[in-house]
Amino acid sequence: MKTLFRLTKLVLPLLPVLCLAIIFGSLGSICAISIPLLGVSAIFYKFPLYILFIAGILRGILHYAEQYCNHFIAFTLLARIRSIVFKKLRNLGPAKIECKEKGSLIQLITSDIELLEVFYAHTLSPICIAITVSLASCLLLSTFNIYLALLAGVFYLLVAAGIPLLIGKKAEKTATEYRKVFSDMNSLLLDTLRGLVISILYGQGEKKLAKLNEKSDFLSREHRKMSRNEGLNSLLSALFVSLAGIAMLILSLILYRHNLITFSQALISITLMFSSFGPCLALANLSSGLSQTIASGKRVLSLLDEKALVEEIKGGKEIYFTGAKADKINFSYTEKEEILQNLSMDFEKGKIIGIQGKSGSGKSTLLKLFMHFWEVNSGKISLSETDIRHVNSSNLKKIESYISQETVLFHDTIRENIRLARLEASDEEIEEACRKAEIHDLIESLPEGYESKVSELGENFSSGERQRLGLARIFLHQGDFILLDEPTSNLDSYNEKAIMDTVKAESEGKTIVIVSHRDSTFIHADKIYKLQTGRKS
């Protein structure tokens, strides 16, 4: 109920449209019920038969209007929820996002959010329509005899509420497990596809396939459970509708025999009982499908409830870069292992600083702390003598340029991939940045030049070419504090020297920090720090 309540709150801005859907749906259902009622009434009362045709036509028009309103609400809210989720992911990243499986996030953004359409298009207004139509039917029956209304009310409750609660409780656990395993399978499949060459190379294809089959078999079993729940739901619904009709027939005959209702009222009551369950059945049939929607809603809301490890700073200070400093900082990703211990470093403006150390000594972590991706456990990171926690995030992004060990390329043109570093950059500036990164000639040799498409994950470029495209972004961004994490690890010695010469030429008035294992990368370094298990040596 908590999940449903929170999902319902999102509808408030579209409440007028929801009210229209309820009105159209209620009137449409009443038109549908009135057709058999008018047909039976024609036996006893005279009225124009064209009213039946009008009721039929109105039923179609009103049903369309109801569905239009419901789906307008659903698709508007799905777009809004996706926007909220993307903003949340941006707020959580990169610290929290690094810890999440990408396949699970893809499922959440796509299928989990898409499943909420069932709730917004096929649940909210149908609940209100079922209540409205059921009350209207009971009111009509009460004009004949109050016992008829009470009997109908009991069966309406059983079908519309009793069955969904009974089946839904059982189905929700299955649906939650199904969505979780489905998410795990997406992550496994994505991981398998990315490492397909390695799996084939080392003969691990059968092992990976066995894992996928295991997940698939589990999903199949859970799906069968959900199908059985749906079958049980349909069986119980049909059974109670039949029982309701039989009970109404018996009660009507008893009341007629005791002269408490007329024969026409008895016949109308029985017809009404059989023909008025449409809205209630719509709710009953939702119970199994709604369980998956609730499970998906919980996953979405769980993400929205997560607290960012590093909050975006607004209303802080705007600074000009004059230098950076790490002052007695301690940091650990987990409580078990401390990565950086009592570390202090000073990065003067206009200097090229090298950081060297073994894998796991905390070199890359230090750069992430300067980017404010993570918060230090103790100590202070400062830019221009200002604690980084007090600098506006937008200001920080302008000051700093950062290249990680893995250059991420998007499925777009080469030009647009580089333009990400500075959206207002001209084509000439982009090309100049690529010349500095020693990648311009390669791009020009391609059939479509800078308009060439980058394939998924940049796989149509070698690791060295991707690295140079990443460096082109750095040169285009023109930040005053440049952080380079293994910038030449995939380059040959010729390209490495050419790029480091460019870095030297670009260093005037800037501070450049280079993390590398190679001594040759530090040919222009003014100072080199060496890290030993998180400590400066």
Side-chain angles (χ1 to χ4, degrees), residues 3 5 45 113 149 161 201 205 230 266 363 377 387 405 433 470 492 507 517 519:
T3 301
F5 177 72
Y45 311 103
I113 292 177
L201 183 63
E230 289 174 13
K363 305 184 301 299
N377 296 348
D387 193 321
Q405 292 182 22
D492 55 44
S507 65
H517 289 90
D519 291 332

Side-chain angles (χ1 to χ4, degrees), residues 250-444:
I250 294 169
L251 180 60
S252 298
L253 289 175
I254 292 171
L255 294 174
Y256 170 67
R257 189 171 180 181
H258 289 83
N259 296 318
L260 296 173
I261 58 173
T262 64
F263 181 71
S264 62
Q265 288 175 334
L267 196 55
I268 289 170
S269 299
I270 297 165
T271 306
L272 178 62
M273 191 80 268
F274 276 110
S275 62
S276 61
F277 270 101
C280 293
L281 284 172
L283 287 187
N285 292 332
L286 276 173
S287 61
S288 298
L290 191 59
S291 61
Q292 279 207 67
T293 301
I294 293 170
S296 295
K298 283 181 178 179
R299 283 166 53 82
V300 173
L301 293 173
S302 176
L303 177 74
L304 297 181
D305 287 339
E306 282 197 48
K307 299 294 182 184
L309 292 177
V310 178
E311 293 289 347
E312 188 167 352
I313 299 165
K314 297 177 182 178
K317 295 182 179 179
E318 295 282 327
I319 61 171
Y320 294 99
F321 183 74
T322 59
K325 186 183 290 185
D327 185 18
K328 297 180 180 178
I329 62 171
N330 292 281
F331 177 77
S332 61
Y333 292 106
T334 63
E335 294 180 1
K336 294 180 179 178
E337 183 181 6
E338 198 165 44
I339 306 297
L340 299 174
Q341 304 168 28
N342 198 33
L343 181 69
S344 295
M345 286 186 181
D346 193 2
F347 304 124
E348 298 174 34
K349 188 173 182 179
K351 301 290 185 181
I352 298 176
I353 311 296
I355 300 178
Q356 216 172 18
K358 295 179 180 179
S359 294
S361 59
K363 305 184 301 299
S364 299
T365 298
L366 180 62
L367 299 193
K368 290 177 182 178
L369 292 174
F370 272 105
M371 287 297 297
H372 204 204
F373 290 168
W374 298 80
E375 295 279 14
V376 294
N377 296 348
S378 62
K380 186 172 73 171
I381 297 280
S382 57
L383 298 180
S384 307
E385 303 298 327
T386 304
D387 193 321
I388 201 171
R389 290 169 289 194
H390 301 148
V391 179
N392 283 333
S393 297
S394 57
N395 184 212
L396 195 66
K397 292 185 180 87
K398 288 179 182 177
I399 289 172
E400 295 183 325
S401 297
Y402 171 67
I403 183 170
S404 64
Q405 292 182 22
E406 182 183 353
T407 300
V408 177
L409 299 177
F410 298 94
H411 187 43
D412 202 342
T413 64
I414 294 173
R415 191 184 303 281
E416 293 308 311
N417 262 284
I418 297 167
R419 199 192 297 275
L420 284 171
R422 187 155 55 89
L423 297 178
E424 71 278 8
S426 66
D427 291 347
E428 290 75 19
E429 288 175 315
I430 291 171
E431 290 174 20
E432 180 59 28
C434 289
R435 286 190 183 93
K436 292 175 180 177
E438 298 292 323
I439 194 71
H440 173 74
D441 292 341
L442 172 67
I443 296 171
E444 285 288 280

Side-chain angles (χ1 to χ4, degrees), residues 149-293:
L150 290 173
L151 178 67
V154 169
F155 277 100
Y156 289 146
L157 280 172
L158 284 172
V159 173
I163 293 173
L165 287 173
L166 178 67
I167 302 298
K169 213 168 188 179
K170 182 181 178 183
E172 186 181 344
K173 184 179 178 182
T174 304
T176 301
E177 187 64 26
Y178 180 84
R179 300 308 301 174
K180 182 183 179 301
V181 177
F182 193 64
S183 168
D184 293 343
M185 186 171 180
N186 278 345
S187 296
L188 177 61
L189 185 59
L190 188 62
D191 186 54
T192 303
L193 289 174
R194 284 178 175 173
L196 192 60
V197 174
I198 300 299
S199 297
I200 294 171
L201 183 63
Y202 292 104
Q204 295 296 310
E206 292 297 324
K207 186 177 179 181
K208 292 286 185 182
L209 186 61
K211 283 186 178 180
L212 286 170
N213 285 334
E214 182 184 343
K215 295 284 184 185
S216 183
D217 290 342
F218 184 88
L219 282 176
S220 181
R221 288 195 297 272
E222 294 300 304
H223 196 273
R224 281 197 295 272
K225 288 181 185 177
M226 290 192 293
S227 297
R228 283 196 292 270
N229 288 333
E230 289 174 13
L232 180 60
N233 184 86
S234 298
L235 173 66
L236 290 175
S237 300
L239 176 63
F240 278 104
V241 170
S242 299
L243 289 174
I246 294 168
M248 183 60 74
L249 172 63
I250 294 169
L251 180 60
S252 298
L253 289 175
I254 292 171
L255 294 174
Y256 170 67
R257 189 171 180 181
H258 289 83
N259 296 318
L260 296 173
I261 58 173
T262 64
F263 181 71
S264 62
Q265 288 175 334
L267 196 55
I268 289 170
S269 299
I270 297 165
T271 306
L272 178 62
M273 191 80 268
F274 276 110
S275 62
S276 61
F277 270 101
C280 293
L281 284 172
L283 287 187
N285 292 332
L286 276 173
S287 61
S288 298
L290 191 59
S291 61
Q292 279 207 67
T293 301

